[in-house]
């Protein structure tokens, strides 16, 4: 069947298809349908439900390309996920046309929020002193927080970046690892180092760490301090205890921003201990200048094969649980 979509020229067609037809591959893979483009016409064997979804997807992509929006593979994944959930794709045109760049990374790439929830998260950090980013892995919670921290540092809005996380995985093994405490917990802080290196470059990052402008430390190092003129990020906050969370939140000083990220479904601490994120919404949601942003699985933008792998595991585990 031919879709009711008009493609104007070869340039627009190439933008729709993507590099080596990757955009088309993503759409076909996520929906499980065959799609071919002949003489600027989109042909598919999809059923009526998927026909409607495909027309929404391609209509959105065409509109975005006509408005000079360059789409990457992550953008296509997000468009397809929204279309599958029957969400109005017109909202994406406004998102992409009016998105504000956070910064340019070390490779010269502009960093923007990619999803509606990511934009809300970024705007919440701009407008509040304390923000929680709560939701599954892969939603950009830590990545965007670090990008904003670097942006604030480059603009001299803060004098220091402080990145911390609980070293729960080390647990009782810490004492058996070689080196001082920092050397022992550094492996658990690798995601933070990787994000910083992308935004600053390795040499610049190392220099700023050596000067103390960037501090990456385990949560235990925060006790007894007041964190002023700083952009402070607590990552993997689901692995804090309630006592640790209270301790950390009360470290906030003047002219500082604090961002706490975590995934309540991935708690590694003992079930006997009350997690720091438990009931945080009830405790803090009515306090001015504190914002709690919830991410969903729709914000997880990963390779289509990852979704199929997860579906495979889920199907296998469900079949085993029933046998």
């Amino acid at each position: 069947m031919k879709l009711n979509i008009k493609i104007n020229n070869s340039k627009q067609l190439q933008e729709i298809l993507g590099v080596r037809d990757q955009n088309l591959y993503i759409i076909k893979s996520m929906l499980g349908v065959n799609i071919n483009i002949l003489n600027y016409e989109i042909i598919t064997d999809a059923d009526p439900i998927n026909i409607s979804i495909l027309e929404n997807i391609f209509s959105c992509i065409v509109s975005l390309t006509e408005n000079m929006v360059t789409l990457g593979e992550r953008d296509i994944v997000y468009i397809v996920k929204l279309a599958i959930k029957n969400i109005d794709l017109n909202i994406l045109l406004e998102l992409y046309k009016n998105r504000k760049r956070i910064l340019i990374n070390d490779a010269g790439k502009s960093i923007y929020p990619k999803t509606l929830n990511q934009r809300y998260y970024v705007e919440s950090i701009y407008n509040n002193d304390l923000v929680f980013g709560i939701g599954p892995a892969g939603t950009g919670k830590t990545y965007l927080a670090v990008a904003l921290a670097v942006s604030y540092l480059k603009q001299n809005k803060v004098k220091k970046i402080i990145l911390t996380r609980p070293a729960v995985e080390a647990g009782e093994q810490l004492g058996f690892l070689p080196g001082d405490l920092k050397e022992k917990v550094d492996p658990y802080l690798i995601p933070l180092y990787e994000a910083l290196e992308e935004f600053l470059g390795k040499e610049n990052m190392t220099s700023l760490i050596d000067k103390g402008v960037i501090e990456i430390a385990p949560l235990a190092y925060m006790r007894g301090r007041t964190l002023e003129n700083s952009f402070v990020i607590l990552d993997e906050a689901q692995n804090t205890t309630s006592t640790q969370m209270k301790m950390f939140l009360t470290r906030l000083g003047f002219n500082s921003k604090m961002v706490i990220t975590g995934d309540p479904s991935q708690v590694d601490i003992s079930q006997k201990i009350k997690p720091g994120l438990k009931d945080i919404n009830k405790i803090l949601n009515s306090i001015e200048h504190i914002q709690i942003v919830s991410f969903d699985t729709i914000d997880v933008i990963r390779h289509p094969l990852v979704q199929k792998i997860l579906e495979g595991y889920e199907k296998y585990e469900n079949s085993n649980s029933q046998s």
Side-chain angles (χ1 to χ4, degrees):
M1 179 177 179
K2 181 175 70 174
L3 298 187
N4 187 28
I5 302 294
K6 181 182 178 182
I7 300 174
N8 297 314
N9 51 56
S10 59
K11 184 177 183 296
Q12 186 179 51
L13 175 61
Q14 186 54 52
E15 290 173 347
I16 292 169
L17 294 176
V19 179
R20 295 189 296 275
D21 294 351
Q22 274 299 304
N23 294 350
L24 193 62
Y25 163 76
I26 289 169
I27 298 169
K28 291 163 65 174
S29 178
M30 292 183 71
L31 292 177
V33 298
N34 289 319
I35 305 170
N36 293 295
I37 298 182
L38 301 172
N39 300 321
Y40 301 140
E41 294 182 338
I42 303 171
I43 311 298
T44 180
D45 64 355
D47 58 34
I49 293 176
N50 279 325
I51 288 287
S52 177
I53 291 173
L54 282 170
E55 290 193 333
N56 285 335
I57 290 169
F58 281 104
S59 177
C60 176
I61 294 172
V62 168
S63 294
L64 289 169
T65 57
E66 287 176 346
N67 282 274
M68 309 303 290
V69 176
T70 301
L71 297 173
E73 294 173 28
R74 292 175 182 271
D75 301 304
I76 300 300
V77 171
Y78 186 54
I79 289 170
V80 175
K81 292 179 80 169
L82 289 178
I84 290 172
K85 287 185 172 289
N86 200 30
I87 295 173
D88 183 5
L89 297 183
N90 287 324
I91 57 176
L92 283 183
L93 188 59
E94 189 270 333
L95 169 66
Y96 283 102
K97 285 179 65 178
N98 300 310
R99 60 184 179 179
K100 297 178 181 179
R101 182 172 61 198
I102 298 172
L103 83 165
I104 300 174
N105 70 9
D106 186 57
K109 177 184 175 183
S110 294
I111 305 300
Y112 298 96
K114 292 286 190 180
T115 72
L116 296 168
N117 276 335
Q118 284 187 0
R119 182 176 67 174
Y120 176 52
Y121 178 56
V122 169
E123 289 175 348
S124 295
I125 294 172
Y126 282 137
N127 297 325
N128 296 276
D129 295 331
L130 175 59
V131 174
F132 288 80
I134 310 297
T139 51
K141 304 183 300 293
T142 303
Y143 181 84
L144 289 173
V146 175
L148 284 161
V150 171
S151 173
Y152 267 67
L153 184 67
K154 286 185 172 184
Q155 296 176 67
N156 295 313
K157 292 181 178 180
V158 296
K159 294 181 179 179
K160 188 170 185 176
I161 295 174
I162 300 173
L163 308 177
T164 185
R165 64 187 296 188
V168 171
E169 299 92 334
E172 298 173 345
Q173 313 260 334
L174 269 177
F176 298 97
L177 295 173
D180 60 21
L181 181 57
K182 182 180 182 302
E183 291 172 328
K184 290 176 180 180
V185 300
D186 264 359
Y188 305 102
L189 301 170
I190 285 175
L192 301 177
Y193 283 107
E194 289 178 339
L196 280 173
E197 185 174 336
E198 177 182 340
F199 300 134
L200 290 166
K202 188 169 185 178
E203 185 175 333
N204 193 19
M205 177 193 74
T206 302
S207 174
L208 291 172
I209 291 174
D210 291 342
K211 292 175 183 177
V213 176
I214 296 177
E215 178 183 350
I216 306 178
L219 183 58
Y221 277 35
M222 300 300 112
R223 189 174 298 279
R225 301 174 60 181
T226 300
L227 309 175
E228 296 191 341
N229 299 305
S230 301
F231 198 115
V232 190
I233 300 172
L234 169 59
D235 192 31
E236 299 289 347
Q238 75 275 3
N239 288 325
T240 61
T241 67
S242 181
T243 302
Q244 287 174 325
M245 178 62 75
K246 182 180 178 181
M247 176 277 292
F248 178 75
L249 293 176
T250 54
R251 301 307 95 200
L252 180 64
F254 289 106
N255 192 40
S256 286
K257 282 195 179 286
M258 187 175 277
V259 180
I260 294 95
T261 68
D263 177 4
S265 70
Q266 298 291 326
V267 177
D268 297 315
I269 57 177
S270 169
Q271 294 182 357
K272 298 178 181 179
I273 301 173
K274 184 178 180 180
L277 286 180
K278 185 175 176 61
D279 299 327
I280 203 71
N281 204 21
K282 296 177 183 177
I283 297 167
L284 301 177
N285 69 349
S286 62
I287 301 177
E288 194 174 0
H289 303 304
I290 297 178
Q291 188 68 52
I292 300 173
V293 179
S294 297
F295 288 88
D296 197 359
T297 52
I298 199 168
D299 299 297
V300 180
I301 310 299
R302 288 180 170 168
H303 193 286
L305 275 179
V306 174
Q307 183 63 36
K308 292 186 178 295
I309 289 168
L310 292 174
E311 290 171 357
Y313 270 96
E314 183 178 359
K315 183 178 179 180
Y316 175 77
E317 289 164 358
N318 287 340
S319 64
N320 279 355
S321 64
Q322 295 171 2
S323 60

